[in-house]
Each structure stands twice: as C-alpha cells, then as structure tokens.
C-alpha cells in the first residue's frame, strides 16, 4: 500500500505538485492523468525519491520512504519510463538483469528470470537475449524496459507513459498484458498517462491532476459519471463518455436469461464490443456464449450511466478533497 | 577496403625497415651527399623505436589516468567547484611549450627520459580531460535517470553506466594525445632521452637528409597506425552501443 500524504514540490517558488494526498491499496492500479505539465511525472518521481519532496511524505506499507536510503528504496520499486532508458552498452539480458544483479542474486537464478520475463513479453529468449537495445524495434525496447522494471519482483511498480511509443494495436495488447500480469503478480501499480482511454482501461482508480493539484481520485465509473469539476469533465470528453462507460464492464455483467438468433458474443467481451456488434449487425439482442442474451436496451441504459453511477458511489472510498 | 590494404602495406614496410634497415639503403642513398651513410647505425632503429614508443605509452598512460580522474572528479557533485581550476591546469599544460618544460625540468631531473616524460604528460592532459568531460556530461538523460531509478549507487552508476558510455570519446582523447606525443617525443633527444629524434638530430647536425627523412618517416608511420588503431576501436565501441552506423 502506498500512502501519499500532503506531497508538495516547489521549484524556486513554482509549486508544481500542490499538497497531493492519495492512497493506493496493495494490488491496485492507480492511473495519473492530466494535461502536460500538470505534475504527474514529478508526483511519480517523488515516490521513489528521484525527486525529493518540498513537503509531505510517502509511506510504503506504513514505512516512511524518507527513512530508507534512496538506492535501497529504488531497488524495491520497479520503474519504467517512456523512451524506456535502456542501457545502450548492455545486452537485452544484461539490461533486464540490472536490479537482480545489484541485489546479488545467484547467476543461475538471474538467467532463469531473464528468460522467463522475455518469454512473458513475447520475446524469444534465444533470439533476443544477446541483442543490443539499438537492434530492437521501439515496441520491443519498450517491453524490455517494462521487463527490466519487473525483474526483481518489486511489490510496487511505477510507470511513466510506458506505452507512449506504441501503435494503437500493440498498445491495446500491451495494456491487456500489463493488466493480466499485474493481477497475477498482485503488484501495486502507479501509471502516468496522457490518455484517458488508457486510464479507464487500466486504472482501479484514476487520479486527475491539473496545475499540480489533485482534482479527483476515484474509480473510473465515478470519474465518468460524476466528474468533480468542469476540467475533469472536459478531460473525459463528453462525446466519448458512454463508450468509455461501456468499456468498463464485461458482457457477463449484463447477461439476462433468454435466447436470440445469430452469432454469439463472448461473455468476456466488453459491453462496448457488444454495442458495436448490435449496431453493425442490426440486432437488438445478442446470444451470449454459455447461455443468455445481452440486449441493446440494457446496453443503452448502461451507457447512460445507470447502475454504475450508484455502484460507483457506493464503492468510492474518499472522493477528492 | 583500399584503406585497409594501404595500412597493411604500411605495417609491413615499417616492420621490414626496422628489422633490416640496411636492405633499404638504396632507397635513401639519393638523399645523401659525399658518400655519407644512407642509414643511421649509431643506435639500432628498432631499439630507438621501441624506447620512443615506450616513452609515449608511459606518458599517455599517465595523462589518461590523471585526466580521466580529473574529469570524473569535476563531474561529481562534490568536485564541481574544481572544474575551472582543472580547466586552467590542463590548458596551461597544453599551451606551455614542451621545449620550455624540458629546459625547466632538466636542472631538476637531470638528462634522460625524465624531463621528456614530464613534458609529454603535461602536453597530453588537455585532449583527454576535455573529451572525458564531454563524454560524462553529454549522456542521454533517460539513461542516467534509469541508472538512478534502478537503485545504482553513485559509484555503480559511474563504473557501470557513465564511464562505459563515455568510453568512445575518452578513447578519442587518448588517440589525440598519443599522436601529438609521438611527434613531440622527438625533441626529447635534445636532452638525451632515447627517441627517434636522435636520428633526425643526427641528420640535422651532419646535413644528412636521409637520416632526417627516415626518422620522420618512422614517426609518421607510427602515428598513422596508432591513429587508425584507436579509431577502429572507437568505431567498434560506438557501433556496439548504437551511436554510429556501419
Ligand atoms: N527539475 C525541474 N526544475 C524546474 N521545474 C521543473 C523541473 N521538473 C519539472 N518542472 C516543472 O514542473 C511542472 C510539472 O512537470 P511534470 O514533468 O511533472 O509534468 P507532467 O504532468 O509529467 O507533464 P507531461 O505530461 O508533459 O509529461 C512543469 O511545469 C515543469 O516545467
Ligand atoms: Mg511527464
């Protein structure tokens, strides 16, 4: 669990992070969104003390990070950035092995871990292990960067626009993989992104920042249905809102008894996909794999914020100050 | 490809000439007058070359050690204030004429290799220092940032990231120093250091152009070979880290 308490950063009189407090529960994903220059990166870098706060503190599992030597703290926290920052003079395997090596893992264990991570990121170990970073595509470099951040099995992972350089298809896949991975490992994740879509897809909670201040910190459904300020509303993009809402839930959540003709849809598909299917094939109800139907009427209701709004209200812990 | 061939030929020619200078007497005969000897034989050319190279290597090694250490020092937070001082010292080392250094050092150290070593050492500091400085300060920020974020200590960052990445530039500095020192070392013979300058000076004193040319030729060839050797090494390192193409 990360507790950020009244964290502030000033650069000669300019307050770039202004009294931000938020808590990320163990195993949850917090997505930081906001316009350029709103202080997202600065906030993130104060967690592993790449930037020293001007005021406030950060607790990790109850321990004040100010009391831990920065280099020891950072070995416990995975860090992945846009542009990946791979060491150009080291092979892919050596890059991934950086933190395990600093922690003096046995050589055999390091090798096994490197291969495991390469395989996990769909990079064939025999083919990629000994390549230099400049011999990889941008997307591959990015994945190696994330693999390096995960190498020592950190309980906490910080990511700063890790998928910025990827094309939309690979990006969606990378997000899906990251989400699955994070669920499997139970890692606590703080991810910075420019992209509301990405924040909605990944975040258990979304923190919206503007000019250094935290405007709202809440689950995606609540951000979408009850934006705290006009700025948040603008950031969500009202035109996209119903679709983003639908993308939050699976078909399985909305399935009702009944039967319908035509090709079935997977219960794991998002409601957004179900809506698209309805519109495209001109049907007003779709059969669901494993029984039941999902109806256009129910989709419309959900897209207008019914249900979710109240559910979100109930599940929201502490809304923004 | 052609450049390689020429370099290979240069090596062969140099080796053959040093091992058996007399076989090349015919080549140098036209440069002599009054039946003077065409080949310098007072001391063997091979031993002069080796001691010349030894002197240069020693001096460049010392400059490298000191200049890189200085470069590292002034790029650490604790040593930043010494940057102007280090710049001054190395620039003065370069601008103060080596001949003057010799003249000043002889009374203190006596004749022989000592004064020459000092002169070459001082003369060679600047290029290595400046290149080390550039190499250590112009690194991609996201790479240095990653090194910090991974939890490397300052020392680990220096040895594992900063120095390896600065290496091509540092080597370029060493190359410059080595080539300058190779030529400058010839003046050491005026204070009785064993260098190829001995051949050139003998030629000057006896008006024997053949001696001057063969001394100069050996020094020149050595300089070219060392220059090329270093450059190949730098190129290899740069390519490995994706800095240069080809
Ligand atoms: N070292 C620094 N010195 C002075 N000002 C800084 C420094 N680092 C960041 N800032 C300023 O702090 C503000 C917030 O920067 P930050 O990098 O946190 O923004 P961001 O939200 O990550 O933006 P982006 O989305 O463009 O990455 C900016 O106005 C920036 O100019
Ligand atoms: Mg940023």
């Amino acid at each position: 669990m990360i507790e950020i308490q009244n964290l502030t950063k000033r650069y000669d009189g300019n307050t770039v992070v202004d009294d931000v407090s938020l808590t990320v529960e163990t195993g949850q994903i917090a997505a930081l969104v906001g316009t350029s220059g709103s202080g997202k990166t600065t906030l993130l870098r104060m967690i592993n003390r790449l930037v020293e706060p001007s005021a406030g503190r950060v607790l990790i599992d109850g321990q004040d990070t100010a009391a831990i030597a920065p280099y020891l703290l950072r070995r416990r926290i995975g860090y992945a950035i846009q542009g990946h920052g791979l060491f150009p003079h080291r092979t892919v395997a050596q890059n991934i092995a950086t933190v395990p090596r600093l922690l003096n893992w046995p050589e055999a264990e390091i090798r096994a871990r490197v291969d495991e991570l390469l395989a996990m990121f769909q990079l064939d170990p025999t083919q990629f292990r000994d390549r230099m970073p400049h011999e990889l595509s941008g997307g591959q470099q990015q994945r190696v960067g994330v693999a390096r951040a995960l190498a020592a099995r950190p309980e906490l992972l910080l990511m700063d626009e890790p998928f910025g350089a990827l094309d939309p298809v690979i990006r969606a896949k990378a997000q899906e993989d990251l989400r699955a991975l994070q669920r499997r490992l139970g890692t606590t994740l703080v991810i910075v992104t420019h992209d509301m879509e990405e924040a909605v897809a990944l975040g258990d909670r979304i923190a919206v920042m503007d000019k250094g201040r935290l405007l709202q910190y809440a689950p995606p459904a609540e951000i979408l249905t009850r934006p705290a300020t006009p700025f948040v509303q603008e950031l969500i993009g009202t035109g996209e809102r119903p679709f983003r809402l639908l993308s939050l839930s699976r078909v399985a959540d909305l399935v009702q008894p009944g039967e319908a003709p035509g090709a079935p849809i997977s219960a794991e598909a998002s409601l957004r996909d179900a809506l698209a299917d309805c519109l495209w094939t001109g049907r007003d109800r779709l059969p669901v794999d494993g029984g039941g139907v999902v109806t256009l009427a129910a989709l419309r209701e959900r897209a207008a914020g019914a249900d979710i709004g109240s559910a979100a209200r109930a599940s929201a812990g502490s809304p923004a100050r | 490809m052609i450049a390689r061939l020429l370099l290979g030929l240069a090596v062969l020619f140099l080796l053959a000439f040093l091992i058996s200078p007399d076989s090349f007497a015919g080549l140098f005969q036209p440069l002599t007058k009054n039946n003077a000897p065409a080949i310098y034989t007072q001391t063997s050319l091979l031993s002069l070359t080796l001691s010349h190279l030894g002197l240069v290597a020693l001096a460049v090694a010392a400059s490298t050690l000191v200049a890189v250490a200085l470069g590292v020092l002034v790029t650490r937070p604790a040593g930043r204030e010494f940057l102007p001082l280090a710049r001054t010292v190395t620039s003065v080392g370069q601008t103060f004429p080596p001949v003057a250094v010799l003249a000043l050092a002889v009374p203190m150290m006596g004749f022989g290799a000592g004064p020459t070593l000092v002169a070459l050492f001082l003369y060679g500091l600047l290029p290595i220092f400046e290149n080390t400085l550039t190499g250590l300060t112009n690194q991609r920020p996201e790479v240095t940032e990653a090194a910090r974020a991974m939890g490397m200590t300052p020392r680990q960052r220096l040895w594992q990231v900063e120095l390896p990445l600065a290496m091509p530039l540092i080597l370029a500095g060493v190359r410059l120093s080595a080539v300058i020192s190779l030529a400058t070392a010839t003046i050491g013979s005026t204070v009785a250091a064993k260098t190829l300058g001995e051949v050139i000076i003998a030629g000057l004193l006896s008006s024997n152009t053949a001696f001057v040319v063969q001394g100069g030729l050996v020094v020149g060839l050595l300089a070219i070979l060392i220059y090329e050797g270093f450059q190949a090494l730098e190129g290899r390192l740069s390519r490995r880290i994706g800095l240069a193409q080809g």
Side-chain angles (χ1 to χ4, degrees):
Chain A
M1 183 169 72
I2 318 170
E3 294 162 86
I4 293 173
Q5 300 178 344
N6 308 100
L7 213 52
T8 299
K9 180 68 192 180
R10 281 183 289 267
Y11 286 113
D12 13 84
N14 279 336
T15 307
V16 299
V17 171
D18 191 358
D19 196 20
V20 169
S21 299
L22 58 83
T23 299
V24 189
E25 299 292 337
T26 302
Q28 299 265 296
I29 300 181
L32 299 180
V33 294
T35 45
S36 187
S38 56
K40 307 179 294 291
T41 298
T42 308
L43 179 61
L44 192 76
R45 287 156 49 103
M46 283 194 279
I47 297 176
N48 64 358
R49 293 183 63 190
L50 285 173
V51 171
E52 292 292 347
S54 310
R57 53 182 200 159
V58 178
L59 308 184
I60 294 181
D61 294 332
Q63 195 182 10
D64 191 337
T65 53
I68 311 171
Y71 71 95
L72 292 177
L73 175 70
R74 292 176 196 142
R75 289 176 192 178
R76 288 171 40 188
I77 302 179
Y79 187 71
I81 44 176
Q82 176 173 5
H84 60 75
L86 293 179
F87 301 127
H89 61 300
R90 293 188 164 182
T91 64
V92 165
Q94 288 167 338
N95 263 288
I96 296 178
T98 305
V99 183
R101 231 168 235 135
L102 291 174
L103 295 171
N104 292 318
W105 285 20
E107 212 38 52
E109 199 177 327
I110 293 180
R111 231 185 341 258
R113 179 68 177 151
V114 167
D115 285 0
E116 180 191 357
L117 282 161
L118 282 173
M120 192 145 83
F121 286 90
Q122 278 108 44
L123 298 165
D124 176 15
T126 51
Q127 198 186 337
F128 284 97
R129 207 187 282 128
D130 297 322
R131 290 227 196 144
M132 302 305 287
H134 69 97
E135 297 167 328
L136 304 177
S137 77
Q140 291 164 344
Q141 290 173 342
Q142 199 97 58
R143 278 179 275 164
V144 173
V146 177
R148 180 176 68 175
L150 287 170
R153 303 194 179 86
E155 55 266 60
L156 172 55
L157 184 58
L158 309 177
M159 304 180 102
D160 197 347
E161 305 194 35
F163 305 130
L166 304 188
D167 67 69
V169 176
I170 302 213
R171 189 180 174 129
K173 173 93 177 85
Q175 288 169 1
E176 211 173 288
D177 290 349
L178 177 66
R179 178 92 210 186
L181 199 73
Q182 181 270 344
R183 287 280 178 262
R184 186 146 52 86
L185 304 177
T187 314
T188 310
L189 172 61
V190 181
I191 182 169
V192 168
T193 171
H194 263 115
D195 177 8
M196 198 44 140
E197 190 96 38
E198 183 163 276
V200 170
L202 286 175
D204 292 304
R205 279 169 165 260
I206 297 177
V208 183
M209 291 190 63
D210 182 37
K211 303 197 188 78
R213 306 185 66 89
L214 180 65
L215 297 181
Q216 189 169 14
Y217 180 51
E222 183 175 330
I223 298 260
L224 291 170
T225 51
R226 302 196 312 142
T229 71
F231 176 82
V232 179
Q233 176 145 10
E234 195 183 322
L235 206 65
I236 300 164
T238 38
E240 291 286 325
R241 187 158 56 177
F243 307 110
R244 292 200 168 131
L245 262 178
L246 285 178
S247 70
L248 282 175
S249 313
R250 310 263 143 209
V251 168
D253 302 338
L254 207 62
V255 71
Q256 36 186 278
E259 281 185 31
I265 186 163
S266 155
E268 284 309 301
S270 76
L271 292 181
R272 185 180 189 157
D273 296 338
L275 176 67
D277 205 349
C278 282
L279 295 176
W280 187 250
T281 58
R283 293 181 287 178
D284 59 8
R285 53 209 288 123
L286 306 173
V288 177
D289 268 344
V293 296
V294 56
T295 67
L296 186 55
L299 287 170
R300 274 169 57 183
E301 220 172 284
R302 184 59 77 93
D307 259 359
I308 283 197
S310 53
R313 241 163 279 147
S315 75
S318 55
R321 302 164 303 112
Chain B
M1 191 61 220
I2 292 181
R4 277 226 176 138
L5 202 69
L6 284 177
L7 277 181
L9 284 177
V11 173
L12 285 180
F13 175 79
L14 188 63
L15 282 178
F17 182 64
L18 289 179
I19 291 167
S20 161
D22 290 329
S23 332
F24 294 81
L27 205 60
F28 291 97
Q29 204 63 58
L31 296 173
T32 62
K33 282 182 280 192
N34 309 327
N35 269 343
I39 301 292
Y40 185 75
T41 47
Q42 240 74 356
T43 324
S44 99
L45 283 177
L46 185 61
S47 84
L48 281 180
T49 304
L50 290 180
S51 91
H52 188 111
L53 280 178
L55 214 59
V56 169
L58 210 63
V60 171
S63 327
T64 305
L65 217 64
V66 171
V68 172
L70 267 182
V72 168
L73 177 76
V74 302
T75 49
R76 300 308 99 183
R80 200 147 288 157
E81 52 189 306
F82 295 107
L83 177 57
L85 180 66
R87 277 227 150 98
T88 310
V89 168
T90 52
S91 316
V92 168
Q94 173 96 64
T95 41
F96 206 73
V99 182
V101 176
L102 289 186
L104 288 177
V106 167
M108 284 183 274
M109 309 177 71
F111 286 87
T116 313
L117 273 177
V118 172
L120 294 184
F121 163 75
L122 289 177
Y123 209 42
L125 283 176
L126 183 74
I128 307 179
F129 174 72
E130 285 297 331
N131 276 27
T132 305
L133 214 54
T134 313
L136 287 178
T137 45
N138 291 6
Q139 306 209 330
R140 275 175 36 217
E142 70 266 25
V143 173
T144 31
E145 158 122 352
R148 279 212 302 150
M150 297 295 118
M152 288 189 185
T153 61
R155 185 180 297 240
Q156 287 166 332
R157 294 206 299 268
L158 175 68
W159 286 105
Q160 299 183 22
V161 179
E162 296 172 24
L163 278 178
L165 289 180
M167 199 45 78
L169 263 176
I170 296 177
L171 277 181
V174 176
R175 164 167 57 95
L176 288 178
S177 276
V179 169
I180 296 172
S181 295
L182 212 59
T184 313
T186 49
I187 62 166
S189 294
T190 58
V191 293
K194 262 188 76 187
T195 78
L196 286 163
E198 186 179 322
V199 186
I200 299 172
I201 290 168
L204 282 174
L205 293 180
S206 60
S207 303
N208 187 339
T209 315
F211 286 1
V212 177
V213 169
Q214 62 199 249
L217 187 72
V218 173
V219 172
L221 280 176
L222 284 175
I224 290 174
L225 292 176
I226 285 175
Y227 186 94
E228 293 294 332
F230 267 102
Q231 215 169 33
L233 196 63
E234 288 158 36
R236 230 168 54 222
L237 280 181
S238 304
R239 270 195 302 281
R240 196 176 139 73
I241 63 181
L243 284 180
Q245 303 306 314

